[in-house]
Amino acid sequence: MLKVAWSPEYVLPLPPGHRFPMSKYEMLPQQLLYEGTLREDNFFRPDPVNEDWITRTHDQSYWQKLKNLSLTAQEMRRIGFPLTLELVQREITIVHGTMMCAEFALQHGVAMNIAGGTHHAFANKGEGFCLLNDIAMASHYLLEKKLANQILVVDLDVHQGNGTAQIFKDDARVFTFSMHGANNYPLQKETSDLDIGLPDFTNDDFYLSTLDVNLKNLITQLKPDFIFFQSGVDILETDKMGRLSVTKEGCKTRDRIVFESAKRNSIPIVASMGGGYSDFLEVIDAHANTYRVAQEIFF
Ligand SMILES: [Zn+2]
């Protein structure tokens, strides 16, 4: 069955008017239950991760500053959330969600986290609403437990997976593939193992054919035994931050291409949510599509 990480702690109260769409972490599971895509028993509730795992990926000094709420005002501005104990608790719960998903994916082929995809978190700093890098931490978990040898990160958020790229720059065991808007944040990109920077207004045809060709090549050449999918929906034409012109149907086809590739090649896959800044109902519907497609393909 499809196991999905979620906890009430994912939903953090933010100051009124904050631009981050926090309520999607509440609405998305409700929508998926309401429409019958998921039942209560699809969900599991991660607890906060053990600190030892955090410092496998992140610098001890950065983690200490986070934990003690002692990041500087400038460091917090880069992250974009007010730094509170509740925020830190939220993040260490979400990252554990992705790590537990990795275990479930080994059993069921796929698992998903209703949060995460925090790909702008570096080993020593956070930015762009990302504090800890869930995909990097779960990758280290799998490698250290010898549950995977060659991991492929497929990062399809409109923003480059700069933190993930930097963390695995010198680690051949994790191949980072990021396909993103060339003119989107971060303006100064890191170097992934494969970067595809797409021009503004990239449409469905170009987007999907580029993805299809590259994913096929990577799977053939690299022979990954695990895939992490950052399934951000900020590639939509309606997105307020993204610069691409992918339709909601195109975005759903994207999810289908990724999940079908994993299924066809018997590669366990974990999807982490990623960004989405269209009108609220559009964001929920596009994220829900990722779950609908996973259910359709795997179960
Ligand atoms: Zn994004």
Short mmCIF file of all heavy atoms in Angstrom, two decimals, residues 11-74:
data_model
loop_
_atom_site.label_atom_id
_atom_site.label_comp_id
_atom_site.label_asym_id
_atom_site.label_seq_id
_atom_site.Cartn_x
_atom_site.Cartn_y
_atom_site.Cartn_z
N VAL A 11 2.13 21.42 10.14
CA VAL A 11 1.41 22.68 9.93
C VAL A 11 1.80 23.67 11.02
O VAL A 11 1.39 23.55 12.16
CB VAL A 11 -0.12 22.44 9.97
CG1 VAL A 11 -0.85 23.70 9.51
CG2 VAL A 11 -0.51 21.23 9.12
N LEU A 12 2.62 24.62 10.64
CA LEU A 12 3.17 25.56 11.61
C LEU A 12 2.46 26.91 11.47
O LEU A 12 2.42 27.46 10.37
CB LEU A 12 4.67 25.74 11.33
CG LEU A 12 5.40 26.73 12.21
CD1 LEU A 12 5.73 26.10 13.55
CD2 LEU A 12 6.68 27.18 11.52
N PRO A 13 1.91 27.42 12.56
CA PRO A 13 1.28 28.75 12.44
C PRO A 13 2.33 29.80 12.08
O PRO A 13 3.39 29.85 12.67
CB PRO A 13 0.72 29.01 13.85
CG PRO A 13 0.77 27.70 14.56
CD PRO A 13 1.85 26.88 13.92
N LEU A 14 2.01 30.62 11.07
CA LEU A 14 2.92 31.69 10.64
C LEU A 14 2.26 33.04 10.89
O LEU A 14 1.04 33.12 11.02
CB LEU A 14 3.22 31.54 9.14
CG LEU A 14 4.15 30.39 8.74
CD1 LEU A 14 4.21 30.26 7.23
CD2 LEU A 14 5.56 30.61 9.30
N PRO A 15 3.05 34.10 10.95
CA PRO A 15 2.46 35.43 11.12
C PRO A 15 1.46 35.70 9.99
O PRO A 15 1.65 35.24 8.87
CB PRO A 15 3.66 36.38 11.00
CG PRO A 15 4.86 35.53 11.21
CD PRO A 15 4.51 34.14 10.81
N PRO A 16 0.37 36.45 10.28
CA PRO A 16 -0.62 36.75 9.25
C PRO A 16 0.04 37.40 8.03
O PRO A 16 0.94 38.22 8.19
CB PRO A 16 -1.57 37.74 9.94
CG PRO A 16 -1.28 37.66 11.39
CD PRO A 16 0.09 37.11 11.56
N GLY A 17 -0.39 36.99 6.85
CA GLY A 17 0.13 37.62 5.64
C GLY A 17 1.44 37.04 5.15
O GLY A 17 1.97 37.47 4.13
N HIS A 18 2.00 36.05 5.87
CA HIS A 18 3.25 35.43 5.42
C HIS A 18 3.04 34.77 4.06
O HIS A 18 2.01 34.15 3.82
CB HIS A 18 3.70 34.38 6.44
CG HIS A 18 5.13 33.96 6.28
ND1 HIS A 18 5.53 33.10 5.28
CD2 HIS A 18 6.25 34.29 6.97
CE1 HIS A 18 6.85 32.90 5.39
NE2 HIS A 18 7.31 33.62 6.39
N ARG A 19 4.05 34.89 3.16
CA ARG A 19 3.82 34.46 1.78
C ARG A 19 3.94 32.95 1.59
O ARG A 19 3.64 32.42 0.53
CB ARG A 19 4.76 35.20 0.82
CG ARG A 19 6.21 34.86 1.00
CD ARG A 19 7.10 35.93 0.38
NE ARG A 19 8.48 35.68 0.75
CZ ARG A 19 9.41 35.24 -0.09
NH1 ARG A 19 9.11 35.02 -1.35
NH2 ARG A 19 10.63 35.04 0.31
N PHE A 20 4.35 32.23 2.60
CA PHE A 20 4.49 30.77 2.43
C PHE A 20 3.14 30.08 2.62
O PHE A 20 2.46 30.32 3.61
CB PHE A 20 5.51 30.23 3.43
CG PHE A 20 5.84 28.78 3.19
CD1 PHE A 20 6.73 28.42 2.19
CD2 PHE A 20 5.25 27.77 3.95
CE1 PHE A 20 7.03 27.08 1.95
CE2 PHE A 20 5.54 26.44 3.71
CZ PHE A 20 6.43 26.10 2.71
N PRO A 21 2.74 29.22 1.68
CA PRO A 21 1.40 28.60 1.76
C PRO A 21 1.34 27.43 2.74
O PRO A 21 1.15 26.29 2.35
CB PRO A 21 1.16 28.14 0.31
CG PRO A 21 2.53 27.86 -0.23
CD PRO A 21 3.47 28.81 0.47
N MET A 22 1.48 27.74 4.03
CA MET A 22 1.58 26.67 5.05
C MET A 22 0.34 25.79 5.09
O MET A 22 0.43 24.60 5.38
CB MET A 22 1.84 27.32 6.41
CG MET A 22 2.11 26.37 7.55
SD MET A 22 3.57 25.31 7.28
CE MET A 22 4.93 26.43 7.71
N SER A 23 -0.84 26.37 4.80
CA SER A 23 -2.06 25.57 5.00
C SER A 23 -2.19 24.42 4.00
O SER A 23 -3.04 23.56 4.15
CB SER A 23 -3.30 26.46 4.97
OG SER A 23 -3.24 27.32 3.88
N LYS A 24 -1.30 24.38 2.98
CA LYS A 24 -1.40 23.24 2.07
C LYS A 24 -1.08 21.93 2.78
O LYS A 24 -1.57 20.88 2.40
CB LYS A 24 -0.55 23.44 0.81
CG LYS A 24 0.95 23.26 0.95
CD LYS A 24 1.65 23.47 -0.42
CE LYS A 24 3.14 23.23 -0.33
NZ LYS A 24 3.81 23.38 -1.64
N TYR A 25 -0.27 22.01 3.83
CA TYR A 25 0.09 20.79 4.57
C TYR A 25 -1.07 20.24 5.37
O TYR A 25 -1.04 19.12 5.85
CB TYR A 25 1.30 21.06 5.47
CG TYR A 25 2.48 21.55 4.65
CD1 TYR A 25 2.77 22.90 4.54
CD2 TYR A 25 3.25 20.64 3.92
CE1 TYR A 25 3.81 23.34 3.74
CE2 TYR A 25 4.29 21.08 3.12
CZ TYR A 25 4.56 22.43 3.03
OH TYR A 25 5.57 22.87 2.23
N GLU A 26 -2.11 21.06 5.55
CA GLU A 26 -3.32 20.64 6.23
C GLU A 26 -4.37 20.23 5.20
O GLU A 26 -5.05 19.21 5.34
CB GLU A 26 -3.83 21.81 7.06
CG GLU A 26 -4.87 21.46 8.05
CD GLU A 26 -5.03 22.57 9.08
OE1 GLU A 26 -4.72 23.75 8.75
OE2 GLU A 26 -5.46 22.26 10.19
N MET A 27 -4.48 21.04 4.14
CA MET A 27 -5.54 20.82 3.16
C MET A 27 -5.28 19.60 2.27
O MET A 27 -6.21 18.90 1.90
CB MET A 27 -5.65 22.05 2.24
CG MET A 27 -6.43 23.18 2.81
SD MET A 27 -8.14 22.74 3.07
CE MET A 27 -8.70 22.60 1.37
N LEU A 28 -4.04 19.37 1.91
CA LEU A 28 -3.75 18.28 0.97
C LEU A 28 -4.15 16.91 1.53
O LEU A 28 -4.89 16.18 0.87
CB LEU A 28 -2.28 18.31 0.55
CG LEU A 28 -1.87 17.19 -0.42
CD1 LEU A 28 -2.65 17.25 -1.73
CD2 LEU A 28 -0.37 17.25 -0.71
N PRO A 29 -3.73 16.57 2.76
CA PRO A 29 -4.20 15.27 3.27
C PRO A 29 -5.71 15.20 3.38
O PRO A 29 -6.31 14.16 3.10
CB PRO A 29 -3.53 15.15 4.65
CG PRO A 29 -2.87 16.43 4.93
CD PRO A 29 -2.77 17.22 3.67
N GLN A 30 -6.35 16.31 3.75
CA GLN A 30 -7.82 16.32 3.86
C GLN A 30 -8.46 16.04 2.50
O GLN A 30 -9.41 15.28 2.38
CB GLN A 30 -8.31 17.67 4.40
CG GLN A 30 -8.16 17.78 5.90
CD GLN A 30 -8.57 19.16 6.41
OE1 GLN A 30 -9.29 19.89 5.74
NE2 GLN A 30 -8.09 19.51 7.58
N GLN A 31 -7.93 16.70 1.47
CA GLN A 31 -8.46 16.51 0.12
C GLN A 31 -8.29 15.05 -0.32
O GLN A 31 -9.21 14.44 -0.87
CB GLN A 31 -7.74 17.45 -0.85
CG GLN A 31 -8.06 17.23 -2.33
CD GLN A 31 -9.55 17.43 -2.65
OE1 GLN A 31 -10.22 18.26 -2.04
NE2 GLN A 31 -10.06 16.64 -3.60
N LEU A 32 -7.11 14.48 -0.05
CA LEU A 32 -6.83 13.11 -0.50
C LEU A 32 -7.72 12.10 0.22
O LEU A 32 -8.17 11.12 -0.37
CB LEU A 32 -5.35 12.79 -0.28
CG LEU A 32 -4.39 13.59 -1.17
CD1 LEU A 32 -2.95 13.46 -0.70
CD2 LEU A 32 -4.52 13.18 -2.64
N LEU A 33 -8.03 12.38 1.50
CA LEU A 33 -8.95 11.52 2.25
C LEU A 33 -10.37 11.69 1.72
O LEU A 33 -11.09 10.73 1.47
CB LEU A 33 -8.92 11.88 3.74
CG LEU A 33 -7.71 11.40 4.53
CD1 LEU A 33 -7.70 12.02 5.92
CD2 LEU A 33 -7.71 9.87 4.65
N TYR A 34 -10.76 12.93 1.53
CA TYR A 34 -12.13 13.26 1.11
C TYR A 34 -12.46 12.59 -0.22
O TYR A 34 -13.53 12.00 -0.39
CB TYR A 34 -12.25 14.78 1.00
CG TYR A 34 -13.53 15.25 0.35
CD1 TYR A 34 -14.72 15.27 1.07
CD2 TYR A 34 -13.54 15.66 -0.98
CE1 TYR A 34 -15.90 15.68 0.48
CE2 TYR A 34 -14.71 16.07 -1.59
CZ TYR A 34 -15.89 16.08 -0.85
OH TYR A 34 -17.05 16.48 -1.44
N GLU A 35 -11.53 12.65 -1.16
CA GLU A 35 -11.84 12.10 -2.50
C GLU A 35 -11.58 10.60 -2.58
O GLU A 35 -11.89 9.98 -3.59
CB GLU A 35 -10.99 12.83 -3.55
CG GLU A 35 -9.51 12.53 -3.45
CD GLU A 35 -8.66 13.34 -4.43
OE1 GLU A 35 -8.98 14.51 -4.67
OE2 GLU A 35 -7.68 12.76 -4.95
N GLY A 36 -10.98 10.02 -1.53
CA GLY A 36 -10.78 8.58 -1.51
C GLY A 36 -9.47 8.12 -2.13
O GLY A 36 -9.24 6.92 -2.27
N THR A 37 -8.60 9.06 -2.49
CA THR A 37 -7.28 8.65 -3.00
C THR A 37 -6.48 7.95 -1.89
O THR A 37 -5.75 7.01 -2.14
CB THR A 37 -6.52 9.88 -3.53
OG1 THR A 37 -7.27 10.42 -4.62
CG2 THR A 37 -5.12 9.52 -4.01
N LEU A 38 -6.62 8.45 -0.67
CA LEU A 38 -5.96 7.82 0.49
C LEU A 38 -6.99 7.53 1.57
O LEU A 38 -8.02 8.22 1.66
CB LEU A 38 -4.89 8.75 1.06
CG LEU A 38 -3.72 9.14 0.15
CD1 LEU A 38 -2.78 10.09 0.90
CD2 LEU A 38 -2.95 7.93 -0.36
N ARG A 39 -6.69 6.52 2.38
CA ARG A 39 -7.49 6.25 3.58
C ARG A 39 -6.61 6.55 4.79
O ARG A 39 -5.40 6.69 4.67
CB ARG A 39 -7.93 4.79 3.60
CG ARG A 39 -8.82 4.37 2.45
CD ARG A 39 -9.31 2.93 2.70
NE ARG A 39 -8.22 2.09 3.20
CZ ARG A 39 -7.71 1.05 2.54
NH1 ARG A 39 -8.19 0.72 1.36
NH2 ARG A 39 -6.72 0.35 3.05
N GLU A 40 -7.24 6.57 5.95
CA GLU A 40 -6.48 6.89 7.17
C GLU A 40 -5.25 5.98 7.31
O GLU A 40 -4.19 6.41 7.75
CB GLU A 40 -7.36 6.73 8.42
CG GLU A 40 -8.42 7.81 8.59
CD GLU A 40 -7.86 9.17 8.98
OE1 GLU A 40 -6.64 9.27 9.29
OE2 GLU A 40 -8.65 10.15 8.97
N ASP A 41 -5.42 4.70 6.93
CA ASP A 41 -4.30 3.78 7.17
C ASP A 41 -3.17 3.91 6.15
O ASP A 41 -2.15 3.24 6.27
CB ASP A 41 -4.78 2.32 7.30
CG ASP A 41 -5.52 1.84 6.06
OD1 ASP A 41 -5.80 2.67 5.17
OD2 ASP A 41 -5.83 0.64 5.97
N ASN A 42 -3.34 4.75 5.14
CA ASN A 42 -2.19 5.06 4.28
C ASN A 42 -1.18 5.94 5.01
O ASN A 42 0.01 5.93 4.69
CB ASN A 42 -2.63 5.80 3.01
CG ASN A 42 -3.37 4.91 2.03
OD1 ASN A 42 -4.57 5.05 1.84
ND2 ASN A 42 -2.67 3.98 1.43
N PHE A 43 -1.66 6.72 5.97
CA PHE A 43 -0.78 7.69 6.63
C PHE A 43 -0.01 7.06 7.78
O PHE A 43 -0.51 6.20 8.48
CB PHE A 43 -1.61 8.85 7.19
CG PHE A 43 -2.18 9.73 6.11
CD1 PHE A 43 -3.49 9.55 5.66
CD2 PHE A 43 -1.42 10.73 5.54
CE1 PHE A 43 -4.01 10.37 4.66
CE2 PHE A 43 -1.93 11.55 4.54
CZ PHE A 43 -3.23 11.36 4.10
N PHE A 44 1.24 7.49 7.94
CA PHE A 44 1.97 7.18 9.16
C PHE A 44 2.54 8.48 9.69
O PHE A 44 2.73 9.45 8.96
CB PHE A 44 3.08 6.15 8.89
CG PHE A 44 4.25 6.67 8.10
CD1 PHE A 44 5.36 7.20 8.75
CD2 PHE A 44 4.25 6.65 6.72
CE1 PHE A 44 6.45 7.69 8.02
CE2 PHE A 44 5.32 7.14 5.99
CZ PHE A 44 6.42 7.66 6.64
N ARG A 45 2.77 8.47 11.01
CA ARG A 45 3.15 9.71 11.67
C ARG A 45 4.61 9.65 12.12
O ARG A 45 4.91 8.96 13.09
CB ARG A 45 2.23 9.89 12.88
CG ARG A 45 2.06 11.30 13.29
CD ARG A 45 0.86 11.38 14.23
NE ARG A 45 1.10 12.43 15.18
CZ ARG A 45 0.18 12.90 15.99
NH1 ARG A 45 -1.02 12.38 16.00
NH2 ARG A 45 0.47 13.89 16.81
N PRO A 46 5.51 10.34 11.42
CA PRO A 46 6.91 10.32 11.85
C PRO A 46 7.10 11.07 13.17
O PRO A 46 6.37 12.02 13.44
CB PRO A 46 7.64 11.04 10.72
CG PRO A 46 6.61 11.87 10.05
CD PRO A 46 5.28 11.20 10.25
N ASP A 47 8.05 10.62 13.95
CA ASP A 47 8.45 11.39 15.13
C ASP A 47 9.74 12.14 14.80
O ASP A 47 10.32 11.91 13.74
CB ASP A 47 8.61 10.46 16.36
CG ASP A 47 9.48 9.26 16.04
OD1 ASP A 47 9.73 9.01 14.84
OD2 ASP A 47 9.92 8.57 16.96
N PRO A 48 10.17 13.04 15.66
CA PRO A 48 11.38 13.81 15.34
C PRO A 48 12.60 12.89 15.18
O PRO A 48 12.71 11.89 15.88
CB PRO A 48 11.56 14.71 16.56
CG PRO A 48 10.21 14.79 17.17
CD PRO A 48 9.54 13.47 16.92
N VAL A 49 13.47 13.26 14.26
CA VAL A 49 14.61 12.40 13.96
C VAL A 49 15.68 12.51 15.07
O VAL A 49 15.81 13.55 15.73
CB VAL A 49 15.22 12.78 12.59
CG1 VAL A 49 15.99 14.09 12.66
CG2 VAL A 49 16.10 11.66 12.06
N ASN A 50 16.42 11.45 15.25
CA ASN A 50 17.55 11.45 16.16
C ASN A 50 18.63 12.43 15.65
O ASN A 50 18.96 12.43 14.47
CB ASN A 50 18.09 10.01 16.17
CG ASN A 50 19.20 9.82 17.15
OD1 ASN A 50 20.16 10.59 17.17
ND2 ASN A 50 19.07 8.81 17.99
N GLU A 51 19.17 13.20 16.57
CA GLU A 51 20.15 14.24 16.18
C GLU A 51 21.36 13.70 15.43
O GLU A 51 21.94 14.37 14.60
CB GLU A 51 20.68 14.95 17.43
CG GLU A 51 19.73 15.94 17.99
CD GLU A 51 20.37 16.73 19.12
OE1 GLU A 51 21.52 17.17 18.95
OE2 GLU A 51 19.72 16.89 20.16
N ASP A 52 21.74 12.46 15.74
CA ASP A 52 22.92 11.88 15.08
C ASP A 52 22.75 11.88 13.56
O ASP A 52 23.71 12.05 12.82
CB ASP A 52 23.15 10.44 15.55
CG ASP A 52 23.61 10.40 16.98
OD1 ASP A 52 23.99 11.47 17.50
OD2 ASP A 52 23.57 9.31 17.58
N TRP A 53 21.52 11.66 13.13
CA TRP A 53 21.29 11.62 11.68
C TRP A 53 21.42 13.01 11.07
O TRP A 53 21.86 13.15 9.94
CB TRP A 53 19.93 11.00 11.35
CG TRP A 53 19.95 9.52 11.49
CD1 TRP A 53 19.30 8.76 12.44
CD2 TRP A 53 20.70 8.59 10.67
NE1 TRP A 53 19.61 7.44 12.25
CE2 TRP A 53 20.45 7.29 11.19
CE3 TRP A 53 21.54 8.73 9.57
CZ2 TRP A 53 21.01 6.15 10.63
CZ3 TRP A 53 22.10 7.59 9.01
CH2 TRP A 53 21.83 6.32 9.54
N ILE A 54 21.02 14.00 11.83
CA ILE A 54 21.09 15.37 11.30
C ILE A 54 22.53 15.74 10.98
O ILE A 54 22.84 16.26 9.91
CB ILE A 54 20.49 16.38 12.31
CG1 ILE A 54 19.00 16.06 12.52
CG2 ILE A 54 20.68 17.83 11.84
CD1 ILE A 54 18.33 16.85 13.61
N THR A 55 23.43 15.38 11.91
CA THR A 55 24.82 15.80 11.72
C THR A 55 25.60 14.85 10.79
O THR A 55 26.78 15.07 10.52
CB THR A 55 25.54 15.92 13.07
OG1 THR A 55 25.31 14.73 13.83
CG2 THR A 55 25.00 17.11 13.85
N ARG A 56 24.95 13.81 10.25
CA ARG A 56 25.57 13.07 9.15
C ARG A 56 25.56 13.93 7.87
O ARG A 56 26.39 13.78 7.00
CB ARG A 56 24.82 11.78 8.84
CG ARG A 56 24.76 10.78 9.94
CD ARG A 56 26.04 9.95 10.02
NE ARG A 56 25.82 8.61 10.58
CZ ARG A 56 25.30 8.33 11.76
NH1 ARG A 56 24.88 9.29 12.55
NH2 ARG A 56 25.18 7.09 12.18
N THR A 57 24.55 14.79 7.79
CA THR A 57 24.39 15.61 6.58
C THR A 57 24.78 17.07 6.83
O THR A 57 25.39 17.72 5.98
CB THR A 57 22.91 15.56 6.10
OG1 THR A 57 22.60 14.21 5.71
CG2 THR A 57 22.67 16.50 4.92
N HIS A 58 24.41 17.57 8.01
CA HIS A 58 24.60 18.99 8.29
C HIS A 58 25.75 19.21 9.27
O HIS A 58 26.00 18.36 10.14
CB HIS A 58 23.29 19.58 8.85
CG HIS A 58 22.20 19.60 7.82
ND1 HIS A 58 22.12 20.59 6.86
CD2 HIS A 58 21.20 18.74 7.56
CE1 HIS A 58 21.09 20.33 6.07
NE2 HIS A 58 20.50 19.22 6.46
N ASP A 59 26.38 20.37 9.13
CA ASP A 59 27.49 20.70 10.03
C ASP A 59 26.97 20.81 11.46
O ASP A 59 25.91 21.39 11.70
CB ASP A 59 28.11 22.06 9.64
CG ASP A 59 28.83 21.98 8.30
OD1 ASP A 59 28.86 20.88 7.71
OD2 ASP A 59 29.32 23.03 7.85
N GLN A 60 27.78 20.30 12.36
CA GLN A 60 27.44 20.36 13.78
C GLN A 60 27.16 21.81 14.21
O GLN A 60 26.20 22.07 14.94
CB GLN A 60 28.62 19.78 14.58
CG GLN A 60 28.43 19.75 16.07
CD GLN A 60 27.44 18.67 16.50
OE1 GLN A 60 27.37 17.60 15.91
NE2 GLN A 60 26.66 18.97 17.53
N SER A 61 27.99 22.74 13.75
CA SER A 61 27.83 24.14 14.21
C SER A 61 26.52 24.72 13.70
O SER A 61 25.84 25.46 14.42
CB SER A 61 29.01 24.98 13.74
OG SER A 61 29.09 24.93 12.32
N TYR A 62 26.13 24.39 12.48
CA TYR A 62 24.85 24.88 11.94
C TYR A 62 23.69 24.29 12.74
O TYR A 62 22.76 25.00 13.14
CB TYR A 62 24.74 24.53 10.46
CG TYR A 62 23.37 24.81 9.86
CD1 TYR A 62 22.81 26.08 9.91
CD2 TYR A 62 22.64 23.79 9.24
CE1 TYR A 62 21.55 26.33 9.37
CE2 TYR A 62 21.39 24.02 8.70
CZ TYR A 62 20.84 25.30 8.77
OH TYR A 62 19.59 25.54 8.24
N TRP A 63 23.75 23.00 13.00
CA TRP A 63 22.67 22.35 13.75
C TRP A 63 22.56 22.92 15.16
O TRP A 63 21.46 23.17 15.67
CB TRP A 63 22.87 20.83 13.77
CG TRP A 63 22.00 20.13 14.76
CD1 TRP A 63 22.38 19.31 15.76
CD2 TRP A 63 20.56 20.20 14.84
NE1 TRP A 63 21.29 18.88 16.48
CE2 TRP A 63 20.17 19.41 15.94
CE3 TRP A 63 19.58 20.88 14.13
CZ2 TRP A 63 18.83 19.26 16.33
CZ3 TRP A 63 18.24 20.75 14.50
CH2 TRP A 63 17.88 19.94 15.58
N GLN A 64 23.70 23.19 15.80
CA GLN A 64 23.67 23.77 17.15
C GLN A 64 22.98 25.14 17.13
O GLN A 64 22.19 25.47 18.00
CB GLN A 64 25.09 23.90 17.72
CG GLN A 64 25.73 22.57 18.10
CD GLN A 64 24.90 21.76 19.10
OE1 GLN A 64 24.30 22.31 20.02
NE2 GLN A 64 24.83 20.45 18.89
N LYS A 65 23.31 25.93 16.10
CA LYS A 65 22.69 27.27 16.01
C LYS A 65 21.19 27.16 15.78
O LYS A 65 20.40 27.94 16.32
CB LYS A 65 23.35 28.06 14.86
CG LYS A 65 24.69 28.67 15.25
CD LYS A 65 25.12 29.74 14.27
CE LYS A 65 25.69 29.12 12.99
NZ LYS A 65 26.16 30.14 12.03
N LEU A 66 20.80 26.19 14.96
CA LEU A 66 19.36 25.99 14.72
C LEU A 66 18.66 25.60 16.01
O LEU A 66 17.64 26.18 16.40
CB LEU A 66 19.17 24.85 13.71
CG LEU A 66 18.79 25.15 12.28
CD1 LEU A 66 18.49 23.85 11.56
CD2 LEU A 66 17.59 26.07 12.20
N LYS A 67 19.23 24.60 16.64
CA LYS A 67 18.62 24.02 17.83
C LYS A 67 18.52 25.05 18.96
O LYS A 67 17.53 25.11 19.69
CB LYS A 67 19.47 22.83 18.29
CG LYS A 67 18.83 21.97 19.31
CD LYS A 67 19.60 20.70 19.53
CE LYS A 67 20.89 20.93 20.27
NZ LYS A 67 21.42 19.69 20.88
N ASN A 68 19.55 25.87 19.08
CA ASN A 68 19.57 26.88 20.14
C ASN A 68 18.93 28.19 19.71
O ASN A 68 19.02 29.19 20.41
CB ASN A 68 21.02 27.14 20.59
CG ASN A 68 21.68 25.88 21.09
OD1 ASN A 68 21.01 25.02 21.66
ND2 ASN A 68 22.99 25.75 20.87
N LEU A 69 18.33 28.18 18.56
CA LEU A 69 17.65 29.37 18.01
C LEU A 69 18.61 30.55 17.95
O LEU A 69 18.22 31.70 18.24
CB LEU A 69 16.41 29.73 18.85
CG LEU A 69 15.41 28.60 19.12
CD1 LEU A 69 14.21 29.14 19.92
CD2 LEU A 69 14.91 27.96 17.84
N SER A 70 19.85 30.29 17.61
CA SER A 70 20.83 31.38 17.64
C SER A 70 21.38 31.73 16.25
O SER A 70 22.48 32.27 16.14
CB SER A 70 21.97 31.01 18.60
OG SER A 70 22.60 29.82 18.16
N LEU A 71 20.60 31.44 15.20
CA LEU A 71 21.01 31.94 13.88
C LEU A 71 20.91 33.46 13.89
O LEU A 71 20.10 34.04 14.60
CB LEU A 71 20.09 31.37 12.79
CG LEU A 71 20.17 29.87 12.50
CD1 LEU A 71 19.09 29.47 11.50
CD2 LEU A 71 21.54 29.48 11.95
N THR A 72 21.73 34.10 13.08
CA THR A 72 21.67 35.56 13.02
C THR A 72 20.43 36.00 12.24
O THR A 72 19.82 35.20 11.51
CB THR A 72 22.91 36.13 12.30
OG1 THR A 72 22.85 35.68 10.92
CG2 THR A 72 24.20 35.67 12.93
N ALA A 73 20.09 37.26 12.40
CA ALA A 73 18.91 37.80 11.69
C ALA A 73 19.09 37.62 10.19
O ALA A 73 18.14 37.30 9.46
CB ALA A 73 18.73 39.27 12.04
N GLN A 74 20.31 37.80 9.72
CA GLN A 74 20.57 37.65 8.28
C GLN A 74 20.38 36.21 7.83
O GLN A 74 19.78 35.94 6.79
CB GLN A 74 21.99 38.12 7.97
CG GLN A 74 22.21 38.32 6.50
CD GLN A 74 23.69 38.50 6.16
OE1 GLN A 74 24.55 38.47 7.03
NE2 GLN A 74 23.97 38.69 4.88
#
